[in-house]
Amino acid sequence: MAKHFDTQALDRYFAAMADPTRRAVLERLTQGPASVSELHAPHAMALPSFLRHLRVLEEGGLIATEKQGRVRMARIEARPVRAAEDWLAQLRRQWETRLDRLDALSEALEQTAKGDAP
Amino acid sequence: MAKHFDTQALDRYFAAMADPTRRAVLERLTQGPASVSELHAPHAMALPSFLRHLRVLEEGGLIATEKQGRVRMARIEARPVRAAEDWLAQLRRQWETRLDRLDALSEALEQTAKGDAP
């Protein structure tokens, strides 16, 4: 691909996104930073399991957490979402370019065929 | 989120994309359909391991394969790439909307402060 992508980062980003709980956390964090308990509240899941999901997100670089007093706050990181979106957009553009070329070729052939007709 | 996304499909799409070999196969297939041996050729990997990657892509719905005579041909499916891209774009738009609101609020506060100044 034309653009350079950080392969290991994309591995981590996509793996982190491949889970509904982790995607829900990312969606929640688009509304602003939240504490770990706020993030956990909507999920019918034991806290240790939930914390494992947060750890995957943090180790993957998709969120950052920070202790504020006795509360751990989390916020979303912009870069992973942009990088994953860029990779997908480039993939899509590549085959759209190819399909456009095929369209142009097929039109040119049609015109030639018409020109050749009596 | 406003738009409805197929959660289990997104799980499969992102998991399938979380591997450099599988992403390279998708990139190759944007240039047009290819046989399994053409797809395998650039990868220094035993065929059985490579076939496992193709199976993840096919079971995830990211590619389709079809036997043509003695050759198995693969092609990329458009929908998974679009769905994953849509989810990421929506995520990004949500926090951009929030940041815009914060900007507007901070500007309004600044104007008010100026108005109050002697």
Side-chain angles (χ1 to χ4, degrees):
Chain A
M1 299 191 107
K3 193 171 168 176
H4 174 74
F5 288 97
D6 180 336
T7 296
Q8 292 178 342
L10 284 180
D11 288 358
R12 288 197 311 271
Y13 300 162
F14 285 129
M17 290 170 189
D19 177 274
T21 303
R22 296 197 292 263
R23 286 198 304 276
V25 168
L26 293 175
E27 289 174 9
R28 165 61 189 83
L29 291 176
T30 60
Q31 302 309 309
S35 70
V36 169
S37 9
E38 283 173 310
L39 291 173
H40 177 228
H43 298 279
M45 181 185 288
L47 185 60
S49 310
F50 185 74
L51 291 177
R52 271 196 292 277
H53 283 302
L54 282 194
R55 208 172 310 130
V56 173
L57 286 170
E58 186 161 21
E59 287 174 0
L62 289 95
I63 67 169
T65 74
E66 191 188 11
K67 199 106 184 183
Q68 295 185 357
R70 297 196 313 181
V71 175
R72 180 162 289 277
M73 297 295 292
R75 59 179 169 76
I76 193 168
E77 292 283 1
R79 204 159 40 104
V81 177
R82 295 220 174 93
E85 199 183 352
D86 280 355
W87 184 79
L88 286 162
Q90 186 152 324
L91 199 70
R92 184 176 43 75
R93 278 195 303 269
Q94 284 187 334
W95 89 66
E96 283 174 356
T97 305
R98 180 181 156 262
L99 294 180
D100 286 348
R101 274 202 304 264
L102 285 179
D103 274 354
L105 184 66
S106 125
E107 218 166 280
L109 285 172
E110 208 172 298
Q111 289 303 320
T112 311
K114 272 183 194 161
D116 286 351
Chain B
M1 301 192 107
K3 194 171 168 178
H4 174 74
F5 289 97
D6 181 335
T7 297
Q8 291 178 342
L10 284 180
D11 288 357
R12 289 197 310 273
Y13 300 161
F14 285 129
M17 290 168 189
D19 178 275
T21 303
R22 297 197 290 264
R23 286 198 305 278
V25 167
L26 292 175
E27 288 173 9
R28 167 60 189 83
L29 290 177
T30 61
Q31 302 310 310
S35 70
V36 168
S37 9
E38 283 172 309
L39 291 174
H40 178 227
H43 298 278
M45 181 185 289
L47 185 60
S49 311
F50 185 75
L51 291 178
R52 272 196 292 277
H53 283 302
L54 283 194
R55 210 173 308 132
V56 173
L57 287 170
E58 185 160 22
E59 287 174 359
L62 289 94
I63 67 168
T65 74
E66 191 187 11
K67 198 108 185 183
Q68 293 184 359
R70 297 195 313 181
V71 175
R72 179 163 291 276
M73 296 295 292
R75 60 179 169 76
I76 193 169
E77 292 282 1
R79 205 158 40 103
V81 177
R82 294 221 174 94
E85 199 184 353
D86 280 355
W87 183 79
L88 286 161
Q90 185 150 324
L91 199 70
R92 184 177 43 74
R93 278 195 303 269
Q94 284 188 335
W95 90 64
E96 282 174 355
T97 306
R98 180 180 156 264
L99 294 181
D100 286 348
R101 274 200 305 264
L102 287 179
D103 274 353
L105 183 66
S106 127
E107 219 166 281
L109 284 172
E110 209 171 296
Q111 288 303 320
T112 311
K114 273 184 195 161
D116 287 349

